[in-house]
Amino acid sequence: MKPPRYLSWLLAVDGFLFLKAGLIGLSIAAPVGPIGLLCIQRTLAHGARIGFVSGLGAAAADGVYGAVGAFGLAAVTQFFVTLALPLAVCGALFLGWMGVQLYRTVPRAQPAGAADGIGAGRAFATVFALTLTNPMTILSFIAVFATIGGSAATTGSAAVIMVLGVFCGSALWWLALAAAIAGIRQRIGSRALQAINRTAGTVLLGFAVWQLVTVFRA
């Protein structure tokens, strides 16, 4: 039995909206910045599971900001924008601290996810917190959702579909990245891994300094 014509049209529209939102989530996650670098390092040091879970932290934070934009929560948006300066400073300090810790990390022959006390919960939480410290992302999501959703963005169901699409698109990128990096993990020795740790730590410190300079120049 075929579904009614209006239901088929609704499913097609919702599916297209989900696909567009998924592509947005994928494009937001794909550029390699401090979060991507951290996920790559964690995949090399602790395995694909920890790398992917770290990426899910970023996807969840994107989902939070996406929900604020999709549902048009103006008061929440204003709240985060007002806190942009302290959040950016805290994020830069946190990123700098993680850079120092990563630089000092000595690779050990331990099971994936156990080295240096990193578990799935900590991996998720740290990246989630780092991603949330960029509250100006809300403005980007508002503009994006206004474009891809149109009048549909005013309905609750369309907003939910867009948020899920962004999360799934972002999560798909982190899954692919973790799987790709895990494929070459066994070929990297402890000496090379230590060099990667120090390089990644230095780059994270650089990102932290750049963020602080940018914040105080604004």
Side-chain angles (χ1 to χ4, degrees), residues 39-77:
C39 292
I40 290 172
Q41 186 278 331
R42 285 182 172 177
T43 301
L44 289 173
H46 312 300
R49 175 173 170 267
I50 294 299
F52 176 55
V53 170
S54 297
L56 282 182
D62 287 341
V64 170
Y65 281 147
V68 174
F71 286 98
L73 303 177
V76 179
T77 301

Side-chain angles (χ1 to χ4, degrees), residues 16 48 50 58 86 152 157 191 206:
F16 186 54
I50 294 299
S157 60
R191 206 175 268 186

Side-chain angles (χ1 to χ4, degrees), residues 58-133:
D62 287 341
V64 170
Y65 281 147
V68 174
F71 286 98
L73 303 177
V76 179
T77 301
Q78 185 59 40
F79 173 76
F80 276 105
V81 171
T82 302
L83 292 179
L85 178 59
L87 280 177
V89 172
C90 289
L93 294 176
F94 187 30
L95 189 62
W97 176 80
M98 292 190 68
V100 171
Q101 296 300 312
L102 185 55
Y103 185 90
R104 297 171 59 187
T105 297
V106 178
R108 298 186 179 94
Q110 295 183 3
D116 305 311
I118 292 183
R122 179 184 169 190
F124 179 93
T126 51
V127 176
F128 179 76
L130 277 175
T131 308
L132 278 183
T133 54

